[in-house]
Amino acid sequence: MSHRLRFIPGRLVQSIPVAFGVTLIVFLLAHLLPGNAALALLGERATEQSVAALTARLGLDEPLWRQYLLFLGQLAHGDLGTSLTYQLPVTQLVLEAIPVTLTLLLYALVLALLISVPLAALAAFRPGGARDLGVRGFTLVGQGMPQFWVGIMLILLLGVSLRAFPVGGYGDTALEHLYHLFLPAVTLAIAMSPTIIRSLRSSMISVLGSEYVGTAKMKGASGVQLFRGHVLRNAAIPTVSIIGVNLGYLVGGSLVIERVFALPGLGSLMINSIFTRDFPTIQGVTLFVALFVVVVGILTDVVYTLLDPRVDLSRTARA
């Protein structure tokens, strides 16, 4: 097994130019934002002299290429700079926000799988039937609803009307974290489930019609044993790639959802930084998100390789 995972160092090396490209694009886009960072910090009533003085102190009057080289030099030493808004190291702010965002993403993924696997199985065992049509209708509706709208509806229904769940905050203990994150996690899970359901349903229909499943049935396998041992494992192989791609997409969605539910994660940090033109924080958050997507891609390949013994990505990497 270990020799089949030898592609990982090569993938990590390949991620270096990706990270470099991300830093350049993010730096340029952050500095193309309309407005003045010094003016945003001082307020609309600030004098021109005070704005000019703060601009010079922050180094924002330097040419863009010099500011970028300074950013790269700090990054090489693990320093993402100091937040213009919070006056704290960006690394500290990002590290404090990461657990909230990662917990939310993992929570949403678990809920998405709990929703998707039973519904996909329900549809696949009777393709074309009433249950299949109902599941496919659910995927169409789920795919078409904007995430922020779903979040607001859940807040109004389960948070305001029924008062079953909190509408914001993160809590203090592990159980409170799960309780407070339930509604935002469900919001993201609803957005992610349709794609997983469609992929699993299609794969399960194909697997159920295969010869080895027919052989397993003749040997007496049925019910849960047949589903878990023969159908789900083989149907999950192509779905792993779908989940990996959607996790990267889910990161972007979580940034907005965190704002809707007032969560102290990377999303709130990012949006607040955009409003205040906090360039170092914008660059730090975006860089982490890009690296997260790269890591998810590598982990997806690892899981794919472990699930399917026929796949050997180390040969592809060498080629």
Side-chain angles (χ1 to χ4, degrees):
M1 181 184 298
S2 60
H3 76 279
R4 292 166 54 212
L5 301 180
R6 287 182 296 183
F7 68 90
I8 295 178
R11 292 293 172 86
L12 291 175
V13 172
Q14 292 173 7
S15 67
I16 294 176
V18 174
F20 176 79
V22 167
T23 61
L24 179 59
I25 294 173
V26 170
F27 179 85
L28 293 176
L29 289 179
H31 285 75
L32 287 176
L33 287 174
N36 187 305
L39 182 60
L41 291 173
L42 294 175
E44 294 293 336
R45 297 185 178 181
T47 63
E48 292 184 4
Q49 292 80 4
S50 60
V51 172
L54 183 58
T55 300
R57 184 166 66 85
L58 297 176
L60 299 177
D61 57 343
E62 298 284 348
L64 281 182
W65 64 268
R66 186 172 296 174
Q67 293 184 50
Y68 180 65
L69 291 180
L70 178 61
F71 169 67
L72 287 183
Q74 293 175 331
L75 186 61
H77 293 87
D79 181 11
L80 293 174
T82 302
S83 169
L84 304 181
T85 305
Y86 302 95
Q87 292 301 305
L88 291 171
V90 173
T91 304
Q92 176 184 336
L93 294 173
V94 171
L95 290 179
E96 289 175 354
I98 283 174
V100 181
T101 300
L102 289 184
T103 303
L104 174 60
L105 291 176
L106 182 60
Y107 200 177
L109 176 59
V110 171
L111 292 179
L113 292 176
L114 290 176
I115 295 171
S116 302
V117 174
L119 290 181
L122 196 67
F125 277 94
R126 291 285 182 88
R131 292 181 298 185
D132 182 28
L133 293 177
V135 171
R136 291 164 67 183
F138 168 78
T139 62
L140 288 175
V141 173
Q143 193 92 40
M145 293 187 298
Q147 294 181 25
F148 71 89
W149 183 85
V150 174
I152 293 173
M153 292 301 102
L154 290 177
I155 288 175
L156 294 176
L157 177 62
L158 299 178
V160 178
S161 299
L162 300 179
R163 298 184 179 180
F165 295 95
V167 298
Y170 185 54
D172 298 319
T173 65
L175 289 178
E176 288 181 355
H177 295 338
L178 295 178
Y179 182 51
H180 282 74
L181 289 177
F182 181 76
L183 290 185
V186 168
T187 302
L188 293 176
I190 291 174
M192 189 177 186
S193 295
T195 306
I196 300 177
I197 291 172
R198 286 203 301 267
S199 175
L200 266 180
R201 173 190 172 276
S202 177
S203 299
M204 284 181 181
I205 292 175
S206 177
V207 170
L208 286 169
S210 62
E211 293 183 1
Y212 58 83
V213 171
T215 303
K217 288 180 179 179
M218 288 189 292
K219 291 182 178 180
S222 61
V224 176
Q225 179 187 3
L226 176 67
F227 177 75
R228 186 175 59 186
H230 300 277
V231 178
L232 183 59
R233 179 183 177 88
N234 291 284
I237 293 174
T239 307
V240 167
S241 299
I242 300 293
I243 293 175
V245 172
N246 273 268
L247 267 179
Y249 165 75
L250 206 63
V251 175
S254 69
L255 300 183
V256 177
I257 296 304
E258 285 179 12
R259 184 70 173 182
V260 172
F261 288 91
L263 296 174
L266 292 174
S268 297
L269 183 62
M270 181 69 158
I271 293 176
N272 291 337
S273 302
I274 292 174
F275 284 147
T276 57
R277 310 298 187 272
D278 190 347
F279 301 137
T281 306
I282 295 173
Q283 292 162 183
V285 173
T286 310
L287 182 60
F288 169 78
V289 171
L291 293 177
F292 175 80
V293 173
V294 170
V295 170
V296 167
I298 295 175
L299 291 178
T300 300
D301 290 339
V302 170
V303 174
Y304 196 94
T305 302
L306 295 177
L307 283 176
D308 192 348
R310 298 169 298 178
V311 176
D312 189 356
L313 293 177
S314 62
R315 295 180 179 178
T316 305
R318 289 194 298 269

